[in-house]
Amino acid sequence: MRETEAVPVIRGEQKLPDYGQAPQVIFWEITRACALACIHCRAQAQPKRHPLELTTEEGFRLMDQMAEFGHPILVISGGDPLMRRDVFDLIAYGIEKGLRVSLSPSATALVTPKVLKRVKEAGISRLSFSLDGSCPEIHDTFRGVSGSFGRTMECIRDALEAGLSLHVNTTVSRHNVADLPAIAQIITQQNALLWDLFFLVPTGRGKREDVLSAAEHEAVFQWILGFSRQVSFGVRTTLGQPYRRVALQRELQEKGGRMEDVLAAFRRSQPSTNDGKGVCFVSHLGEVYPSGFLPISAGNVRKESLATIYRESSLFRELRDVSLLKGKCGRCPFNVICGGCRARAYAFTGDYLEADPTCPYQPPDDKAPLEGPSSLPALAGS
């Protein structure tokens, strides 16, 4: 499970979360050890654990600090979190502290029916697996291990049989973009609760040449929006912040109304998350990042508290200030709900406040009419 962007839905007045004070989701990479060798891995995962990982006791203290935020979602990830023998102790402690804990293991031989039963007994209700192709040729190439596709399908089946709710993650890149409709068909048949499509950021092992162009991102967003209306399970994006703009443009086109009024209603009803805004990431060594894909550390939990880093570091504060955005992201009327992918801006420009280079939208001038949805060709198979 990773940072998410849901389709905008305008709701009535309600008490809004203050993302300047507390994150909605905390990702904790408890280890970088993993048996897979994924070509896009942001962690550049290794076969063995790092000797300086946070210890079990340090992990308990970290979750004490997380609980000071209230009841955030804690996603225990890696690497492969099952590579740590104390993973069930960490899960149990987090749940005891009132955290909403979920698990994101790799689909390896460590995932057995017995382990999944322990996951359920520990209090985990949801876990996620990654499916990056509809066949072994695509998925196994992506994951770097032959047989990974078959193992993933077994893990999905066993998780459902264990009574766990299932999230399926798919990384969208040039390797599999044409395969998305076929992947969607598999997920539709697997009784998944959520399909989370996240868009490649060239960090770690991820390569720039594998990132979709701005036009291709737009076409995929349009396809996702159409597909999401046809299925009963949830469909959302991660590191695809402009999808929110695409969805809101479609809503404006279909329902009418002034853009200014809709955006004002959105501000009152649901603040948007982004790197460092409602989201933070703690590495296996205790470094705190705005997300796992924006590799600038704001501090280390071995030296100062997580709350202090999240609330007071200049990095996090700048990322939460939309007025500091540069280029067309700074001028965009949708920046309050989108803000562009800060991690992708950093990866391409070296400046996390620069414009997202994978968004084709050009902000209109004050007198120009709002641009409608993209007319790019539909994704093959949609």
Side-chain angles (χ1 to χ4, degrees), residues 133-142 149:
S134 65
C135 60
E137 290 75 16
I138 298 174
H139 180 88
D140 289 5
T141 298
F142 212 78
F149 176 80

Side-chain angles (χ1 to χ4, degrees), residues 237-293:
T237 66
T238 289
L239 301 164
Q241 286 84 349
Y243 178 56
R244 305 164 181 167
R245 184 258 309 160
V246 169
L248 190 52
Q249 282 181 293
R250 181 76 66 87
E251 184 174 337
L252 286 166
Q253 182 187 52
E254 294 175 349
K255 298 181 180 180
R258 296 196 316 153
M259 178 183 67
E260 295 81 1
D261 294 337
V262 174
L263 288 174
F266 188 92
R267 289 189 190 99
R268 294 192 302 268
S269 65
Q270 49 181 359
S272 298
T273 61
N274 208 321
D275 300 293
K277 179 185 177 184
V279 174
C280 72
F281 178 96
V282 182
S283 82
H284 61 306
L285 303 179
E287 299 291 332
V288 180
Y289 301 96
S291 77
F293 299 87

Side-chain angles (χ1 to χ4, degrees), residues 28 30 56 60 63 76 80-96 101 103 105 110-124 127 164:
W28 178 20
I30 64 173
T56 304
F60 291 163
M63 287 186 283
I76 295 179
D80 182 1
L82 294 182
M83 294 287 279
R84 282 189 61 148
R85 294 182 178 180
D86 62 352
V87 62
F88 293 104
D89 296 326
L90 296 172
I91 290 171
Y93 190 87
I95 292 174
E96 180 184 336
V101 184
L103 185 68
L110 294 178
V111 181
T112 65
K114 182 178 179 180
V115 165
L116 291 171
K117 182 180 179 181
R118 288 191 67 187
V119 168
K120 182 74 179 296
E121 291 174 345
I124 294 286
L127 78 165
L164 292 160

